[in-house]
Amino acid sequence: MFDFDYEALRAIGLTQYLINQLHALAEPPRPGSALMRIVEVQRDHLTVHDGHGERQARALPRLTAMLQAHADALAVGDWVVAETHAGEECWIATRLEPLTQLARRANDGRRQMLASNVDTALLLMGLDLDYNPRRLERYLALTQAAGLEAVAVLTKADVGDAVEQRMAELHARLPRRIPVLALNGQDASAREALAPWLGAGQTLVLLGSSGAGKSTLSNTLLMAEAQLTGGVRRGDGRGRHTTTARSLHCLPGGACIIDTPGLRTWRPDADETEVAASFDDIAALAGRCRFRDCRHRDEPGCAVRETVPADRLLNYHKLLREARRGQQTALERKAETAKWKAIGKAGRARGEEKRR
């Protein structure tokens, strides 16, 4: 029988869904094994938590190989079964299937895991030079495609520009179901504003660019200086990447929060259907277009173009292109690149011919 301290593990996010998986494992855990949660991933080791404390561990090669075969990898937030071998070394032998996974696609199409078993994504954007509604829409579309609840959090409300105007812009632009909050990440009132999502057993992830205030907000919620913070550049408001690794922290109220490094790019780890579904206003209007197969580009009688702001529609088409590219194989991406090179070359040749 595999024993574990339910109350201690529940405090770091253990749910009945995960317990059911544990009892259904094809191979029962070895005697002396322990159920743990990954709280940090480094290149040469992982940090795991058993509900009482942290320790370093490594993944067994067979587990790593099995995950890689399915374009998967261990991530912060994963629940694992760890074994203690000779020399008191801790080895991760099994990963429980995540309820949710947040990932992105690299330039070569590989999946890069960001976090697992997350309930809510706090999408941070500063009310200074960091303000960018299109980037917030991108984060929203991709977190919703991963099955996460999302909350738009505008930081630096105490020093930001045109706070009320920008709040009104986002309320009009984003789906009504998405909460939009403006707060000062250094003030205790931030804990009160986010209280509905900080229930015991909940796991949140902070996402945003460098300098958006993720680590500052983490420290405020933790009521401790757990994460390093830094200033932003005067010219463009960007941060200096004080957070270099994703890490999970336990809040005093029983919730867990995952802080992440600033995201420079975030290509969709979702197909076109999943991305399109996150733009529910466009999906609702599409039924009123004149043509059933309207692509919302230059077709006459397009209800989407008549109603949706051009900037939001441009963002929609860009995400669909990236999602389509992310699903291609390396050979398909190579063929598409060659096709567009040929088209460009032919266009230049026609231009030169006209000039002659």
Side-chain angles (χ1 to χ4, degrees):
M1 182 67 180
F2 183 65
D3 296 322
F4 55 89
D5 188 339
Y6 173 73
E7 290 300 324
L9 294 172
R10 189 166 69 97
I12 58 172
L14 182 64
T15 64
Q16 189 61 45
Y17 168 82
L18 295 159
I19 294 174
N20 293 342
Q21 277 199 65
L22 187 62
H23 292 311
L25 289 175
E27 295 183 13
R30 293 182 179 180
S33 298
L35 181 61
M36 300 184 178
R37 193 172 195 188
I38 296 177
V39 296
E40 189 168 350
V41 176
Q42 297 286 357
R43 288 185 179 179
D44 57 346
H45 72 274
L46 304 101
T47 304
V48 293
H49 202 300
D50 64 359
H52 299 284
E54 297 179 357
R55 62 182 301 184
Q56 290 188 2
R58 288 186 289 173
L60 289 175
R62 61 175 173 78
L63 174 61
T64 301
M66 183 186 70
L67 293 174
Q68 288 178 346
H70 293 87
D72 204 347
L74 293 172
V76 172
D78 271 327
W79 284 90
V80 297
V81 175
E83 304 171 349
T84 300
H85 290 187
E88 296 301 308
E89 288 186 337
C90 186
W91 290 87
I92 296 172
T94 306
R95 185 196 67 175
L96 302 185
E97 190 65 26
L99 181 59
T100 58
Q101 273 189 316
L102 191 61
R104 64 177 175 179
R105 293 279 177 174
N107 289 334
D108 59 4
R110 290 181 298 108
R111 293 181 78 213
Q112 295 180 339
M113 306 309 302
L114 301 179
S116 295
N117 297 304
V118 175
D119 300 294
T120 304
L122 300 183
L123 310 179
L124 271 64
M125 183 170 68
L127 283 163
D128 51 6
L129 295 175
D130 184 56
Y131 183 77
N132 186 331
R134 287 184 63 187
R135 185 175 67 239
L136 183 61
E137 283 181 337
R138 168 180 289 265
Y139 287 2
L140 178 60
L142 301 180
T143 52
Q144 288 191 314
L148 308 185
E149 184 179 356
V151 180
V153 179
L154 303 182
T155 59
K156 307 180 186 179
D158 53 324
V159 296
D161 302 322
V163 176
E164 292 184 3
Q165 178 183 340
R166 287 174 168 179
M167 285 283 288
E169 178 186 4
L170 290 181
H171 276 299
R173 183 163 179 158
L174 300 180
R176 291 185 179 180
R177 67 177 183 280
I178 304 301
V180 181
L181 309 176
L183 49 81
N184 173 7
Q186 295 179 315
D187 194 88
S189 61
R191 292 195 294 271
E192 299 176 11
L194 293 170
W197 299 278
L198 298 177
Q202 292 291 299
T203 299
L204 301 89
V205 63
L206 300 177
L207 299 171
S209 58
S210 295
K214 298 185 297 299
S215 296
T216 298
L217 182 58
S218 286
N219 290 339
T220 299
L221 296 177
L222 286 163
M223 293 188 283
E225 295 296 317
Q227 295 289 85
L228 292 175
T229 60
V232 296
R233 296 193 301 230
R234 291 185 179 181
D236 56 10
R238 292 190 177 185
R240 295 177 170 83
H241 290 286
T242 51
T243 301
T244 57
R246 288 172 281 278
S247 56
L248 183 147
H249 307 273
C250 302
L251 302 185
C256 298
I257 193 160
I258 299 174
D259 193 7
T260 63
L263 294 172
R264 291 188 178 92
T265 60
W266 191 357
R267 293 178 175 83
D269 178 43
D271 59 29
E272 292 179 78
T273 302
E274 292 170 327
V275 170
S278 64
F279 287 81
D280 51 1
D281 55 337
I282 294 178
L285 288 166
R288 292 161 47 187
C289 292
R290 180 184 300 178
F291 301 105
R292 186 176 299 175
D293 59 347
C294 183
R295 296 177 301 165
H296 321 308
R297 293 187 180 278
D298 51 10
E299 297 88 346
C302 176
V304 172
R305 285 206 326 276
E306 293 173 359
T307 307
V308 177
D311 192 43
R312 177 170 169 78
L313 189 56
L314 181 66
N315 212 17
Y316 168 79
H317 285 305
K318 183 177 181 180
L319 275 169
L320 287 183
R321 286 197 304 272
E322 292 182 6
R324 185 164 53 247
R325 181 173 176 80
Q327 298 299 310
Q328 292 176 329
T329 64
L331 288 176
E332 288 171 337
R333 284 193 296 274
K334 195 170 183 179
E336 185 173 8
T337 300
K339 181 187 79 172
W340 286 107
K341 282 184 177 179
I343 291 173
K345 184 176 180 180
R348 290 191 295 272
R350 286 195 298 271
E352 292 175 1
E353 183 65 28
K354 287 181 180 179
R355 287 191 291 273
R356 286 199 294 270

